Structure formats: C-alpha cells, structure tokens
Amino acid sequence: RQQRQETPNNVRMDDGDNTDQTDSAQDALSSLTVEETNQEDNADGNTADNENDTSANPPPQAQPFSFQFNQPPAAPDNGNDDDDDDDEGHADLDLVDQNEFLSLLPKSLLPKLDKLKSLHNAREEIMKEYLLERAKLEARFGAMMKPLYEERRKIVVGEMDEVFQKEMEEEEKRKKTPSGETDEGGENNENVDVEEGVVEEEGEREKEDEEFVKGIPQFWACAMGHFDVISELVTEDDVDCLEFMTDVTCDDFPDGTGFELKFHFSPENPYFTNTVLTKRYEVPNLLTEDEPILKNVTGTTINWKKNKSLTHKEVTKKQRKKGGRGAGQIRTVTKRERTDSFFHFFSPPKMPKMEDVLDEEEADAVEEAFDFDYDVAQAFRGHLIPKGVLWFTGEAADGLDDEDLLEGMEGVEEEDGEGESPFPPPVPGNGENQECKQN
C-alpha cells in the first residue's frame, strides 16, 4: 500500500515538473516569435532602402567573354560549380589541343571562325598563283642576264683578250698622232712641248706594258675577300686554289622552291679533279619574305688529288708502346686532321632526323651552323654573282655601313698599322700567282 500510495505522489510530482517545463517552453516560443517579427520588420526596411538606392547603385551586369593571355579562354558560366575542384590552374595555350581550345569557345564564335578560315584558304590559293607567276618572272629575267654573265666569264678567263689587245693598239695609234695636224676646221692643234726625258720614260713604260696579262687573275678570289661573311672562311692556301675558279653561277628552281650554286674550275686545277662544285638548297618559301625554311641542303664530294687536300692533312706522330709485348718500342702513327678551309662549305651540316633527340645546346649548335651556311650561300646568290666586278674592286663594300665593314675585324691583331688579311699578295714568278692589282 505504501508503494501504491507513493507512486501516485511520484507521478504527480512528475506532472508538476512537466507543467513547469511547459510554461518555460511557451515563454521561449513567445520570445522567438518576437525576434522573428523584428527580423522581418528589419528585412522589410532594408528592402525598401535597397529599392530607394537602385538608381545610385545599379545591379551588376554579366561580364562579356574575354581571352586570357597564356591561358585558354574561360568557359561561359553554366551554373555548375563542380568544375572548380578540377581547375587547379590553366595550362599554356600551346599545350592545349586545338579541339579542346575550340570547345572552350562560345558557340556563337564558331561560324565566324569558319568564315575567317575560308578567307585564309582563299588567300593561300592566291599566294600559290603569285609564287608561280613570280618564279616565271624570275626565270624570264634570269635568262636575259645569263648572256651578260657568260661574257663576263670570257673576260675573266681571257677568252676576249684579242679584242682588248686590238682596242689598246688603236688607242696607242691615236695617242701617237702628230700634234701639228690640222683638224677639219683648218685650225692647228695646240703644240705640246715634251722633254726628251719624259718621252724616253713613256717609251720604257710601253715596253713594260707589252707583256699583256691574260684575263683577270684571281678575280673571284679578290671579290670573295671583300665580303666579310665569305672572307673569314678563306685561308691563304685556299687562295691559290681559288685562282683556278673561272665562274660562279646560280640556277633557281623553276617553281621557286630553291636554288643551286655552281662553282666552275679550270681543268688545269692541280688540287682536285672536279670541274664543277655544286651546293643545292631546297627552300619552299624562297620567294616569300618569311624566314627561310631549309628543307634540305646537298653539297659535293671533292675528289682531291694526292697530297693536295685543303680540308684535311695527314700528321705523322711517333708513339712509344707502354706495356705488353714490345713495350718501349716506338711506332709511327699517321692521323688525318681537319684544317680550316673555305672548301668545307661543300660539306654542309647534317640535317637531324625526326627521331633524333637533341638537347638544347646541340639544337642551338645545329641551328647556328645552318644559319651561317645559308648566309654564305645568299652572299654568293644575292651579291657576288650579280655584282662581281663591284666586289672585285671593293666598290660594293663602300655602300655598307662602317659597323658592317668593321664587323668581323674584332680580334685581328695589327702590325705596323695594317691588319693581317686572309688574302696576302701572291708570290710572283713565271707568270703564276700574279698579284691582284687594283686601282
């Protein structure tokens, strides 16, 4: 009974506690209702203030599509933020695939790009036609110049010496005409008093001039010596061989995609048996103003006569065996060493293959070698061949700036005010190696 009596009391006690908790909950709810009402009133007030300030601060507008340098263009916002985690940084534009790049562009740009590409293709077709017509034009006027170059060759090698001898004899006869003769008007020419000593001196000079020089010795060697890019390749030993060079010609490809240089030598050349050395350049964009693109370069194998090679020399050395059987014995070893020479020009640098892997230093060295080789070729094609006589006399070099003339002179030691030249005066004797005389 006690337990039954205590239980209702306990229950009632619990009911009393719940009643207190209910009252406190109601108080909390009423306070929350008041706070929400205040927040709504504040929100309504802020909305009214924002509506009143709309004219002063307009709402932000959508940003136009723009490109970012060194990055692919940002894709238009499609409301998906899931890609943010994947964008740790844009790759460089040159690493982005073309299709991927186009996929990032707005679709409205694609028809415009297609139209621009069609315009570009139309221009390329016009350029092809232009290059063909220009190649024909170059060939047409090149054919007109060939007879002039051929006549120059005949003068250089001495095939027209008889013509010049006759002209000189006629000129001498005109000079010996008596000064007392009357002209067509009947007036006497002025008498010139000439001393006997002067007459004798002129007579001796005429006897010296009777020894007629054949052709123009070392014409091309002297012309090459006045062009810095070429002269730095030529050694003293090369000059004697270049004396037998009779002509330099250039034949452009009919389609304008390259050219071939031809160096003609006399059969009497004692250094090698070749009468023509060629250097062929395949340049697809030869007739454009773009940087030349070398597709291929082909040289010539020089057939040197025995002990006459200018590009290599045989060096004999004595070596003492260090160990093993016959230790201490001295043996003679012959090695073939490379020497400086202009004739290395006919052994062009090797074009690297697609599968060849070159580091940065090797790639730079190959590029530099081809650049210099092409500069030498263009020096012949664009300067020495069309203006050979002006380079022989040095007049063509006078048109260059002082900086261009001094270029390549650095590091040349001077003695008695004169720098050493790769073209020293040849040693005269028996009509060979005659000095290149210039006025």
Side-chain angles (χ1 to χ4, degrees), residues 29-294:
L29 288 173
S30 61
S31 63
L32 288 174
T33 305
V34 173
E35 290 179 358
E36 290 177 356
T37 304
N38 293 334
Q39 289 179 358
E40 289 177 357
D41 294 338
N42 292 333
D44 294 338
N46 292 334
T47 303
D49 293 338
N50 292 336
E51 291 177 354
N52 295 332
D53 296 336
T54 301
S55 59
N57 297 320
Q61 299 179 355
Q63 296 296 327
F65 181 82
S66 62
F67 291 97
Q68 297 181 2
F69 292 106
N70 298 327
Q71 296 182 1
D77 187 9
N78 55 6
N80 296 327
D81 297 333
D82 298 335
D83 297 336
D84 295 340
D85 297 335
D86 298 332
D87 295 336
E88 298 179 356
H90 292 293
D92 293 339
L93 186 59
D94 55 353
L95 300 179
V96 179
D97 184 76
Q98 180 182 3
N99 295 331
E100 182 181 354
F101 173 77
L102 294 177
S103 66
L104 299 175
L105 298 177
K107 293 182 179 180
S108 59
L109 293 184
L110 299 181
K112 302 173 185 179
L113 294 177
D114 291 338
K115 182 60 178 178
L116 292 179
K117 288 182 179 179
S118 65
L119 296 176
H120 173 75
N121 293 334
R123 177 193 176 276
E124 291 297 314
E125 293 298 325
I126 296 175
M127 283 299 298
K128 289 180 181 179
E129 184 178 355
Y130 159 74
L131 293 177
L132 290 176
E133 292 297 326
R134 180 174 172 179
K136 294 178 182 178
L137 194 64
E138 295 271 357
R140 173 187 170 192
F141 283 91
M144 296 171 61
M145 297 177 189
K146 278 191 176 182
L148 305 179
Y149 295 152
E150 176 62 19
E151 188 171 356
R152 178 181 65 186
R153 182 198 66 81
K154 292 180 179 180
I155 295 174
V156 170
V157 300
E159 293 182 7
M160 298 185 65
D161 283 354
E162 295 182 1
V163 177
F164 290 102
Q165 283 179 328
K166 291 180 180 179
E167 291 180 355
M168 293 179 65
E169 291 174 358
E170 293 177 358
E171 183 66 20
E172 291 295 333
K173 290 179 179 179
R174 285 194 293 269
K175 289 181 180 180
K176 295 178 180 179
T177 301
S179 59
E181 283 188 353
T182 59
D183 55 16
E184 294 180 358
E187 297 179 358
N188 293 332
N189 295 328
E190 294 182 359
N191 294 326
V192 181
D193 296 332
V194 181
E195 298 180 0
E196 291 183 359
V198 176
V199 175
E200 292 177 357
E201 183 179 350
E202 289 180 354
E204 293 177 357
R205 188 179 303 168
E206 290 178 0
K207 291 180 180 179
E208 293 177 358
D209 292 340
E210 288 178 359
E211 197 174 316
F212 194 83
V213 177
K214 180 181 179 181
I216 304 179
Q218 296 186 354
F219 176 83
W220 291 107
C222 289
M224 293 165 62
H226 290 145
F227 204 104
D228 291 341
V229 175
I230 301 175
S231 65
E232 64 184 49
L233 299 176
V234 181
T235 65
E236 296 183 11
D237 294 333
D238 292 335
V239 177
D240 293 334
C241 182
L242 292 173
E243 183 179 354
F244 295 92
M245 190 166 73
T246 59
D247 199 10
V248 184
T249 59
C250 180
D251 295 330
D252 289 353
F253 297 174
D255 57 357
T257 59
F259 60 92
E260 185 177 42
L261 296 173
K262 295 182 179 180
F263 298 77
H264 304 262
F265 286 82
S266 169
E268 300 174 357
N269 177 18
Y271 291 89
F272 47 79
T273 60
N274 311 68
T275 56
V276 179
L277 301 179
T278 61
K279 191 74 176 289
R280 181 184 178 90
Y281 291 84
E282 297 179 24
V283 191
N285 62 337
L286 178 64
L287 299 181
T288 65
E289 296 180 358
D290 301 333
E291 183 177 354
I293 301 175
L294 292 178

Side-chain angles (χ1 to χ4, degrees), residues 287-307:
L287 299 181
T288 65
E289 296 180 358
D290 301 333
E291 183 177 354
I293 301 175
L294 292 178
K295 182 179 179 180
N296 192 25
V297 182
T298 308
T300 303
T301 301
I302 302 178
N303 300 320
W304 296 100
K305 295 183 179 181
K306 188 176 181 180
N307 299 328

Side-chain angles (χ1 to χ4, degrees), residues 352-387:
K353 300 179 181 179
M354 296 296 296
E355 60 270 15
D356 293 343
V357 179
L358 303 177
D359 57 28
E360 184 176 357
E361 185 177 353
E362 292 174 340
D364 291 342
V366 172
E367 182 179 359
E368 183 179 356
F370 275 102
D371 286 345
F372 184 79
D373 181 84
Y374 190 75
D375 288 343
V376 175
Q378 283 295 348
F380 282 103
R381 178 176 180 266
H383 296 276
L384 262 72
I385 293 177
K387 303 176 183 179

